Amino acid sequence: PCRSVLTVACEQTEVLLFDPISSKHIKTLSEAHEDCVNNIRFLDNRLFATCSDDTTIALWDLRKLNTKVCTLHGHTSWVKNIEYDTNTRLLVTSGFDGNVIIWDTNRCTEDGCPHKKFFHTRFLMRMRLTPDCSKMLISTSSGYLLILHDLDLNKSLEVGSYPILRARRTTSSSDITSSGSSGPRTFSSPCHQYDSCPLSEKHMSRSSQREGGSPRNSLEVLTPEVPGERDRGNCITSLQLHPKGWATLLRCSSNTDDQEWTCVYEFQEGAPVRPVSPRCSLRLTHCIEEANVGRGYIKELCFSPDGRMISSPHGFGIRLLGFDAHCSELVDCLPKEASPLKEIRSLYSHNDVVLTTKFSPTHCQIASGCLSGRVSLYQPKF
């Protein structure tokens, strides 16, 4: 968070640490895990967590990198995502086992942390918390986006124990169970798996009859509109949130792997029209088609710290995208209909497909990493 260290998750069990100012290599954690390292999350300026395909999460202290603080066991498949609630100091992880697990870092020992399963859904891809931790968003490989409203991480959720708000496409009021009635589809990418609905129709119909206002952890299920996708379906591979909580940023690929899109959806807050209606839905405001290279690999994109720009992997480089040509705030240039993102600059310095990019939280600097292992740092010229 203070921009003193850049950490890099690598395919072959390693974590690399660099000084982003001097670009010097600080240290290599050669056996950080027993399999590919997928994600790194700082809890503060000292502690950070890593997760891996070895099904574990590890906690590290920058002051003592020779050994882990502890290793967390609880997932049964590849762990792909780490979030942190700074208010409660709870670590939140998700994996391809479909589980979202809560870890109490307040009671961390060398043997790990107390943990509990918070939520489960099939074909889970990514999980994020909004900046104020009031919502949890979960994307799936079958194209659904789940939103837990009025989030309470202290309450575990079992199937049928949470109220399900009326599910719909982001541009219509059609119910998700009707869209899930079509027959199975086949996909060419290993990350594309069909699921008629992440939640059963039985629980959907029963829960939608609940009366009264929406309590904590109310679940909304959406099928985000994706340009060019139409009725072919899509896989939501990357999920990010605007730093001010105004919008969500998705990277979607078609089930036939012939198109890839970056899409921005505005959060539309408001009181429910009726008790079973969602209090928040998403509206597609901006989008752009991507290069669609490196099929089967997930490309992680990000917002700038002020939320005015998006850095997106694009072939062997990255594109800096804005909501308009002047890099205006999203709220100052909301279109009536979905508009193209504006390409501010393209940067190509890699010799392989770029998979991840990240803005510095405090300085005018961007980092990108490609499939062959090269890390590039960019700074603007004034």
Side-chain angles (χ1 to χ4, degrees), residues 2 25 44 58 111 127 131 134 147 186 191 222 246 345 378-379:
C2 67
H25 175 239
D44 52 35
D111 297 325
M127 173 274 305
S134 65
I147 307 177
T186 58
C191 72
L222 296 174
W246 294 342
R345 192 72 177 268
Y378 314 88
Q379 285 183 305

Side-chain angles (χ1 to χ4, degrees), residues 85-101:
D85 184 345
T86 55
N87 300 318
T88 60
R89 293 183 63 191
L90 293 174
L91 197 69
V92 189
T93 61
S94 67
F96 281 0
D97 56 4
N99 292 325
V100 177
I101 296 181

Side-chain angles (χ1 to χ4, degrees), residues 11 28 30 63 81 94 115 188 250 288 332 340 345 355:
E11 186 177 19
T28 296
S30 58
R63 301 170 301 179
N81 213 174
S94 67
H115 67 280
S188 57
L250 303 183
I288 193 168
D332 295 331
R345 192 72 177 268
L355 300 182

Side-chain angles (χ1 to χ4, degrees), residues 28 34 104-105 108 126 130 140 173 182 201 203 210 215 258 273 301 318-319 373:
T28 296
E34 296 179 0
D104 187 358
T105 57
C108 190
R126 288 291 184 268
T130 53
T140 70
S173 59
S182 59
E201 186 172 348
H203 286 120
R210 298 175 66 98
D258 59 348
V273 178
L301 62 179
I318 62 174
R319 288 195 298 187

Side-chain angles (χ1 to χ4, degrees), residues 163 165 209-215 218 272 274-277:
L165 301 174
Q209 298 174 359
R210 298 175 66 98
E211 296 182 355
S214 300
S218 299
R274 55 182 182 272
V276 297
S277 297

Side-chain angles (χ1 to χ4, degrees), residues 157-168:
L157 301 178
E158 301 295 337
V159 173
S161 69
Y162 43 84
I164 301 177
L165 301 174
R166 184 175 176 80
R168 61 184 189 181

Side-chain angles (χ1 to χ4, degrees), residues 309 319-327 342-346:
M309 283 200 301
R319 288 195 298 187
L320 300 182
L321 306 170
F323 304 114
D324 63 12
H326 307 290
C327 295
K342 303 297 183 183
E343 185 174 330
I344 307 300
R345 192 72 177 268
S346 294

